[in-house]
C-alpha cells in the first residue's frame, strides 16, 4: 500500500505536474499492481452558486493545477487504488482564515456569501487511516470535509463575536484566487457511510476559548479554504 500525500507549497501547474503527477507515476512504477491512495483536493469542483457537491458532481477545475489533480486521480483509480479530495486543512498552527483575521488582512469579499469548506488536520489523517484499515479506498473516490460548510461572512462574524474584534472590512471578490473563484458546499456523506465521522464536525467546534487550545487551532502558518 502507498499513500501519495504531497504539497507544492503554492506552486504553479508545472510544480503540480512534477510533484503530483511525477511522484504518482514513480509510485506506480516502483510498486506495480499495488493499490494506494492519491490525496487530491476539493478545489477540483468549480461550482459557483452554493451548490451541494458530492463525488458524482461534475469536477471541472478552472485552473491547470486542478486538471493535474484530476489526471492523478484517474491514474490512481485505474491502478485499482482510490483518491480522496481534501477540503481546506486547518489545525495546530495552521489556519489561514484565523491568521488573516488576527493580523487584520482578512476581507469580506462581495456580500460574503461564498461557501468555505474545511477539515481539521487530525480528522483528515483519521479518515485516511480509516480507509486504509477498512480497505474501502480501493476503486473509490471520497470527499474529506467536515459536516459544516460556512459562508465567509458567517465565519468572520462569529470570529469577531468570539474574539471581541471587528468584522473585517469589505472588498471586491478575488476572482484570481489560486484555486479559482468557487462557492460550493462539499458533502462528506459517502465517507461517513463507511463508519468515519469527524471529531470536529465544524470549524468552531475546534476553536477553543482564548485560542489557548493548541490541540485544536492556533493562529500560525498557512492552510487552505476551499
Amino acid at each position: 500500500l502507498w499513500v501519495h500525500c504531497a504539497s507544492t507549497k503554492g506552486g504553479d501547474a508545472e510544480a503540480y505536474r512534477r510533484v503530483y503527477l511525477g511522484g504518482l507515476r514513480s509510485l506506480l512504477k516502483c510498486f506495480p499492481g499495488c493499490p494506494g491512495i492519491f490525496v487530491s483536493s476539493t478545489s477540483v469542483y468549480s461550482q459557483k452558486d452554493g451548490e451541494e457537491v458530492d463525488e458524482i458532481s461534475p469536477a471541472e477545475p478552472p485552473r491547470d493545477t486542478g486538471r493535474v489533480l484530476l489526471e492523478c486521480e484517474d491514474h490512481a483509480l485505474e491502478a485499482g487504488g482510490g483518491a480522496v479530495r481534501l477540503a481546506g486543512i486547518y489545525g495546530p498552527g495552521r489556519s489561514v482564515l484565523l491568521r488573516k483575521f488576527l493580523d487584520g488582512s482578512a476581507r469580506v469579499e462581495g456580500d460574503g456569501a461564498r461557501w468555505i469548506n474545511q477539515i481539521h488536520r487530525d480528522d483528515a489523517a483519521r479518515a485516511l487511516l480509516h480507509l486504509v484499515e477498512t480497505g474501502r479506498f480501493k476503486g473509490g473516490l471520497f470527499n474529506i470535509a467536515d459536516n459544516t460548510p460556512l459562508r465567509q461572512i458567517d465565519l468572520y462574524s462569529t470570529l469577531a463575536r468570539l474574539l471581541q474584534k471587528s468584522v473585517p472590512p469589505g472588498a471586491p471578490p478575488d476572482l484570481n484566487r489560486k484555486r479559482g473563484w468557487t462557492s460550493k458546499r462539499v458533502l462528506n456523506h459517502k465517507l461517513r457511510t463507511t463508519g468515519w465521522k469527524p471529531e470536529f464536525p465544524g470549524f468552531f467546534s475546534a476553536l477553543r476559548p482564548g485560542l489557548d487550545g493548541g490541540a485544536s487551532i492556533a493562529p500560525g502558518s498557512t492552510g487552505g479554504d476551499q
Side-chain angles (χ1 to χ4, degrees):
L1 170 71
W2 50 264
V3 176
H4 186 300
C5 183
S7 172
T8 65
K9 297 186 180 298
D12 58 12
E14 181 54 37
Y16 269 58
R17 281 187 283 269
R18 183 176 63 255
V19 172
Y20 292 111
L21 188 55
L24 179 60
R25 285 173 171 165
S26 293
L27 284 170
L28 294 174
K29 181 179 180 180
C30 291
F31 303 102
C34 179
I37 302 175
F38 176 74
V39 180
S40 184
S41 166
T42 57
S43 65
V44 299
Y45 297 115
S46 61
Q47 287 80 352
K48 295 181 173 64
D49 297 320
E51 302 98 317
E52 293 184 335
V53 298
D54 60 18
E55 291 81 357
I56 64 172
S57 299
E60 300 169 342
R63 299 283 189 268
D64 286 342
T65 51
R67 289 187 277 272
V68 172
L69 294 178
L70 279 186
E71 184 177 354
C72 292
E73 291 179 9
D74 289 341
H75 286 312
L77 292 168
E78 289 168 1
V84 299
R85 293 170 175 169
L86 285 182
I89 301 172
Y90 70 92
R94 182 190 177 106
S95 175
V96 65
L97 297 171
L98 180 57
R99 175 179 58 79
K100 287 184 175 181
F101 180 83
L102 292 174
D103 70 17
S105 64
R107 296 293 182 268
V108 176
E109 298 174 283
D111 60 4
R114 186 173 76 83
W115 288 93
I116 293 171
N117 303 276
Q118 300 186 92
I119 184 68
H120 191 282
R121 179 203 65 183
D122 295 350
D123 282 330
R126 279 188 283 266
L128 286 168
L129 180 61
H130 169 76
L131 290 171
V132 168
E133 291 181 335
T134 61
R136 298 292 293 269
F137 73 92
K138 295 178 181 178
L141 176 65
F142 296 90
N143 292 331
I144 300 182
D146 66 25
N147 300 343
T148 317
L150 290 166
R151 294 191 311 162
Q152 187 186 63
I153 184 61
D154 295 333
L155 187 147
Y156 283 138
S157 295
T158 303
L159 280 177
R161 175 175 57 81
L162 291 175
L163 303 180
Q164 299 182 349
K165 294 180 177 289
S166 299
V167 176
D174 180 8
L175 302 181
N176 295 313
R177 295 178 74 248
K178 175 178 176 289
R179 294 182 174 90
W181 176 265
T182 66
S183 178
K184 72 270 183 174
R185 289 169 287 165
V186 177
L187 302 180
N188 63 9
H189 295 167
K190 183 178 178 182
L191 180 58
R192 288 167 63 188
T193 63
T194 69
W196 171 88
K197 64 178 181 180
E199 179 180 339
F200 302 102
F203 182 75
F204 291 106
S205 63
L207 183 65
R208 299 185 179 177
L211 300 181
D212 58 359
S216 53
I217 306 176
S221 59
T222 61
D225 66 283
Q226 301 171 355

